Amino acid sequence: MFKFLKEVVGGSGTGIKDLPYNIGEPYPSAWGSWLHHRGTSKDDGSPVSIFSLSGSNAQDGHLAAGRNGVKRLRTVRHPNILSFLHSTEVETFDGGSSKVTIYIVTEPVMPLSDKIKELGLDGTQRDEYYAWGLHQIAKAVSFLNNDCKLVHGNVCLASVVVTQTLDWKLHAFDVLSEFDGSNETSSTQMLQYAWLVATQYKSMELAKSDWAAIKKSPPWAIDSWGMGCLIYELFSGLKLSKTEELRNTASIPKSLLPDYQRLLSSTPSRRLNTSKLIENSEYFQNKLVDTIHFMEILSLKDSVEKDTFFRKLPNLAEQLPREIVLKKLLPLLASALEFGSAAAPALTALLKMGSWLSAEEFRAKVLPTIIKLFASNDRAVRVSLLQHIDQFGESLSAQAVDEQVYPHVATGFSDTSAFLRELTLKSMLILAPKLSQRTLSGSLLKHLSKLQVDEEPAIRTNTTILLGNIASYLNEGTRKRVLINAFTVRALRDTFPPARGAGIMALCATSSNYDITEIATRILPNVVVLTIDPDSDVRSKAFQAVDQFLQMAKQHYEKTNIAETTGGAGMEGSSIPGNASLLGWAMSSLTLKGKPSDHAPVPSASSSTLTPTSSNASSVVDTPSTAPIRVNSTPDFTEHHAPTSPTSTDGWGDLENGIDEEPENDKDGWDDLEPLEETKPTPALTNIQAAQRRPVSQPASHVKAPILRPKSTPKLSKDEDDDLWGSLAAPAPKPPSKPLNLKSTATDDDDPWAAIAAPAPTTRAKPLSAGRGRGAKPAAPKLGAQRISRTSSGT
């Protein structure tokens, strides 16, 4: 029989070497004859607590009581009772004597007396924490007495331990026994081990061994007395040395004093049941107890109660003991969010509590929950995550962002809610630096390409701003292919003024990514026309951009003159200082309900860090008072061929031939400017250079693509239609009576093109309304020129 009991108590181990745990240093205090050690698992290094009890032989009374405690601890399960993990009994021989040791492995805990000293709480926070702890022990005792009909027999400060989450748990079950008042033998086992209880902790009937009175008493009588002893030791800070000290109530809180006195009643039948103590005591009604209790029964609450509670929790958490909030409330909140029982507002409280942790603790305790929440289908949770991403985004690892976070966030780019699309877009400012090049080029840019033609003007504007901010994270090939197309072909031609302003600022912020050819042939021509934009803020930004890019061109000119013999110098790194600063978001006008008008007053797209000289960088633009600028859907690039670009799926590879996404296909006044976007010298510039190299007396018919048509041509030809300077040059002079030569005349001095141009036609050029030739006085240039009715000479 003894061998069988030993095997049951011994568990899976047969010796100390077989114990799958490492035994560490002991704590200074423990219950009875037990030693309480720190320990770790040999498998994964997780912390545990190891209790050991030694005896000189197997028949030692302490060992017998210890075996009873092991058996009871293994079979009794409750949230406020110490959790059992493993046990074993080892017999060792030293010389001629033997030694038997019982080991119990439990969850990691710490003696309550030591934990109180470590926390160092005082005042209201101490009382609130003590109330919560006593509430937990009272529930454990009530469970034993009322539900299990068991008597613990020795409830005191030493029989309480504290977990890592600061929960109080009851242990020391060596004296634990069944109680049945109708059976004379019901207290046999307690009678057997009653000698283990110190005299000062015994109630009067137990001290007298009056078992007849004990049987007639309620099951909670002995343990209610023990609860009184625990309360005294807890508030006095002293270990109870004799029973008479319980009469000293100076340290007992006034709200708890009546219950304390009833627990220690001299008549066993009148002692307060611990279940009544939990329900009726005024002492347990405080913010900490109520908050933790609400969290523990969260699944039973309705959505209104949850929403109200979590909206108050961030402010409430500041009033509670910080250590308890971080070690108890935070894990409860994280678990509730992870398993879906908490509402979206709980995320605000979680992040506020998490901000009180160190960086390492935040990554270990909060980030895993947040990463899992990104997979939630609850739109409110997704919105809350994106709204607070600046609080935890920097803590996310690049691998977690690329593999676990971004795939879920990216679904927001195509969400039907404009508010969620905008939040998703803004979150990329934090997530993009952590994405791989494959994700950036293959996924993110594709989504941004679609957002640049979004129906919401705020989203289009902020997409341009985002591109300017994340340009440095793109590889060189992607930058060459995407940036100019996105900023000039789309942003500068947007109908929304702040979007055009954002395009200008993005070009300035990314100026170091463009070479001088791109600046001269693709950027400046598109920016210059915005100096006459209907919107004053756009005009102001356009002038600043022109100044910046002209300064870069001048720097290139100076470098070229200096290094002319070495083949020229590039413009990389010659941008104006400060253009690498982040662009600020232009607006945030979208809400979950409703959608703003395309022309609602919205702050302009600018950043004070980028444009310190702009006085209206954050002004509000009233777009209804300005003429809208329409994006040309089918620009006339048929005579010009854009340079080939690498195969791309990011959505910008085909933009040099126009924006295919726009619904309108009519020409809208951008025709005169379309050829200026070429990266190669324009045909007109080539013709001028060719004219400079030919003899002056060479016939005009030998010049390819002449600037002025010969007199035998009655109509404008397709070549003249491509003349970029036609609509901008001064009216042609009267034809001379003799062939043009190099001799200076009064007319020639006024015409800078006379020395290189072909002979002027004898007929008058057609008015501007009929074509682009030099004739009538050209109209005042303005953004969005009027449509021109063209005629073709045929092919």
Side-chain angles (χ1 to χ4, degrees):
M1 181 65 185
F2 170 73
K3 182 178 180 181
F4 171 75
L5 180 61
K6 183 177 179 180
E7 289 175 354
V8 170
V9 174
S12 60
T14 58
I16 188 62
K17 294 183 179 179
D18 298 322
L19 187 69
Y21 300 92
N22 298 311
I23 302 177
E25 293 296 321
Y27 287 101
S29 62
W31 181 85
S33 300
W34 289 87
L35 292 178
H36 183 182
H37 300 265
R38 301 172 179 87
T40 57
S41 171
K42 292 180 179 178
D43 295 333
D44 55 9
S46 58
V48 295
S49 281
I50 301 176
F51 296 86
S52 63
L53 178 66
S54 300
S56 58
N57 59 73
Q59 305 301 323
D60 190 294
H62 288 88
L63 292 178
R67 294 187 187 102
N68 177 65
V70 173
K71 182 182 72 172
R72 298 295 186 177
L73 195 62
R74 292 180 67 173
T75 56
V76 179
R77 299 284 180 171
H78 187 269
N80 303 120
I81 291 177
L82 185 62
S83 298
F84 174 90
L85 298 178
H86 184 84
S87 67
T88 189
E89 185 171 336
V90 179
E91 184 175 4
T92 58
F93 296 94
D94 186 9
S97 61
S98 64
K99 181 180 178 181
V100 179
T101 305
I102 298 174
Y103 293 96
I104 305 177
V105 182
T106 69
E107 61 181 314
V109 290
M110 186 176 185
L112 176 58
S113 57
D114 296 341
K115 194 64 180 181
I116 290 174
K117 295 177 183 177
E118 181 183 292
L119 291 176
L121 298 175
D122 56 11
T124 304
Q125 291 191 346
R126 186 201 71 162
D127 290 343
E128 288 183 344
Y129 181 57
Y130 285 0
W132 169 244
L134 288 172
H135 186 270
Q136 291 180 301
I137 298 302
K139 287 196 294 184
V141 173
S142 176
F143 170 74
L144 293 175
N145 298 160
N146 299 303
D147 299 333
C148 301
K149 301 302 179 183
L150 296 173
V151 177
H152 183 276
N154 193 19
V155 178
C156 60
L157 190 70
S159 63
V160 179
V161 289
V162 184
T163 66
Q164 293 179 326
T165 57
L166 300 184
D167 289 313
W168 292 16
K169 296 203 172 185
L170 186 65
H171 80 122
F173 283 4
D174 294 21
V175 187
L176 188 72
S177 63
E178 290 85 0
F179 181 88
D180 187 357
S182 62
N183 188 349
E184 294 182 0
T185 62
S186 61
S187 297
T188 301
Q189 197 165 358
M190 183 172 17
L191 179 64
Q192 184 178 359
Y193 301 116
W195 56 271
L196 286 173
V197 181
T199 304
Q200 65 268 28
Y201 295 113
K202 290 182 178 180
S203 59
M204 289 182 289
E205 68 275 13
L206 184 60
K208 297 177 182 178
S209 298
D210 188 355
W211 299 111
I214 293 174
K215 293 175 188 178
K216 295 177 182 178
S217 302
W220 59 81
I222 293 177
D223 289 338
S224 291
W225 181 276
M227 279 295 297
C229 297
L230 171 61
I231 291 173
Y232 173 81
E233 290 184 316
L234 189 62
F235 287 100
S236 67
L238 302 172
K239 186 176 181 179
L240 185 64
S241 58
K242 54 185 179 179
T243 306
E244 289 74 14
E245 292 177 353
L246 295 173
R247 299 180 183 275
N248 184 4
T249 61
S251 60
I252 309 300
K254 292 182 179 180
S255 59
L256 185 60
L257 184 58
D259 299 318
Y260 172 76
Q261 293 172 334
R262 291 183 62 190
L263 288 170
L264 297 173
S265 174
S266 57
T267 305
S269 60
R270 294 183 178 179
R271 288 177 194 154
L272 182 64
N273 189 342
T274 49
S275 64
K276 300 298 182 182
L277 175 68
I278 297 170
E279 295 173 4
N280 303 325
S281 178
E282 180 184 346
Y283 180 69
F284 294 128
Q285 297 175 6
N286 62 55
K287 290 178 291 188
L288 179 62
V289 175
D290 292 342
T291 301
I292 297 178
H293 180 66
F294 188 97
M295 289 294 301
E296 289 182 336
I297 60 172
L298 189 62
S299 58
L300 303 178
K301 301 295 183 179
D302 60 38
S303 58
V304 176
E305 290 177 308
K306 291 180 183 179
D307 190 73
T308 303
F309 172 78
F310 287 122
R311 291 187 186 280
K312 295 179 180 179
L313 187 56
N315 293 330
L316 183 61
E318 294 182 346
Q319 306 170 27
L320 301 177
R322 183 63 52 86
E323 196 78 11
I324 301 170
V325 169
L326 297 181
K327 292 188 176 181
K328 177 62 181 178
L329 274 182
L330 183 62
L332 284 174
L333 191 57
S335 177
L337 276 166
E338 186 174 338
F339 294 105
S341 57
L347 184 63
T348 304
L350 179 72
L351 292 174
K352 183 164 189 176
M353 296 177 188
S355 66
W356 300 332
L357 295 170
S358 65
E360 292 183 2
E361 289 179 319
F362 183 85
R363 283 192 290 268
K365 297 180 179 180
V366 179
L367 273 188
T369 299
I370 292 177
I371 291 174
K372 291 178 182 178
L373 287 178
F374 275 103
S376 173
N377 293 324
D378 187 344
R379 180 170 288 179
V381 172
R382 292 165 59 195
V383 167
S384 185
L385 283 170
L386 296 176
Q387 286 177 325
H388 298 92
I389 198 169
D390 58 316
Q391 299 180 30
F392 60 85
E394 296 299 329
S395 302
L396 294 169
S397 66
Q399 182 179 3
V401 171
D402 203 47
E403 297 177 1
Q404 297 175 268
V405 175
Y406 176 79
H408 299 293
V409 174
T411 60
F413 286 121
S414 56
D415 197 274
T416 55
S417 169
F419 184 66
L420 190 54
R421 292 201 304 275
E422 185 184 40
L423 287 176
T424 304
L425 173 69
K426 291 184 176 182
S427 71
M428 290 301 111
L429 188 61
I430 294 174
L431 299 182
K434 300 176 183 289
L435 295 177
S436 63
Q437 283 299 319
R438 179 178 179 181
T439 305
L440 280 172
S441 302
S443 177
L444 178 58
L445 290 182
K446 184 176 180 180
H447 289 299
L448 296 185
S449 175
K450 294 179 180 178
L451 289 183
Q452 258 207 320
V453 292
D454 192 272
E455 61 181 2
E456 291 290 344
I459 292 178
R460 298 198 302 269
T461 303
N462 285 329
T463 301
T464 300
I465 293 172
L466 176 65
L467 271 172
N469 285 329
I470 68 172
S472 60
Y473 306 114
L474 304 176
N475 59 48
E476 184 176 358
T478 303
R479 289 197 298 265
K480 292 288 185 184
R481 182 177 68 249
V482 169
L483 295 184
I484 293 184
N485 284 332
F487 298 152
T488 61
V489 179
R490 284 187 173 172
L492 297 189
R493 302 181 185 184
D494 199 290
T495 59
F496 193 48
R500 298 196 295 276
I504 296 173
M505 299 309 299
L507 284 170
C508 294
T510 57
S511 59
S512 60
N513 297 304
Y514 314 124
D515 58 40
I516 190 61
T517 302
E518 292 172 324
I519 291 174
T521 62
R522 303 188 65 187
I523 296 177
L524 275 174
N526 283 286
V527 174
V528 166
V529 296
L530 295 183
T531 58
I532 57 172
D533 191 272
D535 184 79
S536 62
D537 192 57
V538 175
R539 293 196 300 271
S540 175
K541 291 181 174 63
F543 277 111
Q544 295 172 28
V546 169
D547 291 343
Q548 177 174 334
F549 285 111
L550 283 178
Q551 179 66 23
M552 294 172 66
K554 183 177 180 181
Q555 291 174 4
H556 173 79
Y557 166 76
E558 294 172 352
K559 288 184 178 181
T560 303
N561 286 347
I562 295 174
E564 196 171 25
T565 58
T566 62
M571 281 303 298
E572 286 74 16
S574 61
S575 58
I576 301 301
N579 66 357
S581 303
L582 287 180
L583 292 165
W585 295 120
M587 62 208 70
S588 183
S589 60
L590 302 179
T591 59
L592 281 173
K593 297 181 180 179
K595 180 174 66 178
S597 169
D598 283 355
H599 298 290
V602 183
S604 63
S606 64
S607 172
S608 59
T609 59
L610 288 171
T611 57
T613 60
S614 177
S615 61
N616 58 350
S618 60
S619 62
V620 176
V621 180
D622 189 7
T623 59
S625 63
T626 63
I629 303 172
R630 304 307 300 269
V631 180
N632 181 20
S633 302
T634 57
D636 186 9
F637 284 174
T638 56
E639 294 298 317
H640 306 282
H641 303 282
T644 59
S645 60
T647 302
S648 169
T649 59
D650 54 31
W652 277 289
D654 56 351
L655 288 184
E656 285 149 295
N657 289 327
I659 303 174
D660 296 331
E661 293 83 354
E662 289 297 321
E664 299 180 10
N665 295 319
D666 57 319
K667 296 181 183 295
D668 49 21
W670 289 93
D671 306 71
D672 294 341
L673 301 175
E674 299 297 322
L676 295 180
E677 297 179 8
E678 300 300 317
T679 57
K680 297 180 179 180
T682 63
L685 185 57
T686 303
N687 296 337
I688 293 174
Q689 294 170 348
Q692 291 174 328
R693 291 192 294 270
R694 66 172 172 77
V696 176
S697 60
Q698 184 177 350
S701 61
H702 294 170
V703 181
K704 184 179 180 181
I707 297 177
L708 298 177
R709 300 299 301 165
K711 62 183 179 179
S712 60
T713 304
K715 296 181 179 181
L716 294 176
S717 68
K718 196 170 186 179
D719 289 335
E720 185 171 333
D721 190 48
D722 290 334
D723 180 11
L724 302 180
W725 305 99
S727 61
L728 303 177
K734 294 181 180 180
S737 58
K738 57 182 179 179
L740 186 66
N741 54 45
L742 297 177
K743 293 181 180 181
S744 300
T745 64
T747 303
D748 294 337
D749 291 338
D750 296 335
D751 185 2
W753 302 99
I756 62 172
T762 57
T763 59
R764 291 176 60 85
K766 293 184 178 182
L768 182 61
S769 60
R772 298 186 188 176
R774 297 178 182 175
K777 184 178 180 181
K782 64 180 181 178
L783 189 62
Q786 301 299 317
R787 294 187 178 85
I788 302 172
S789 177
R790 299 198 187 117
T791 60
S792 176
S793 60
T795 56

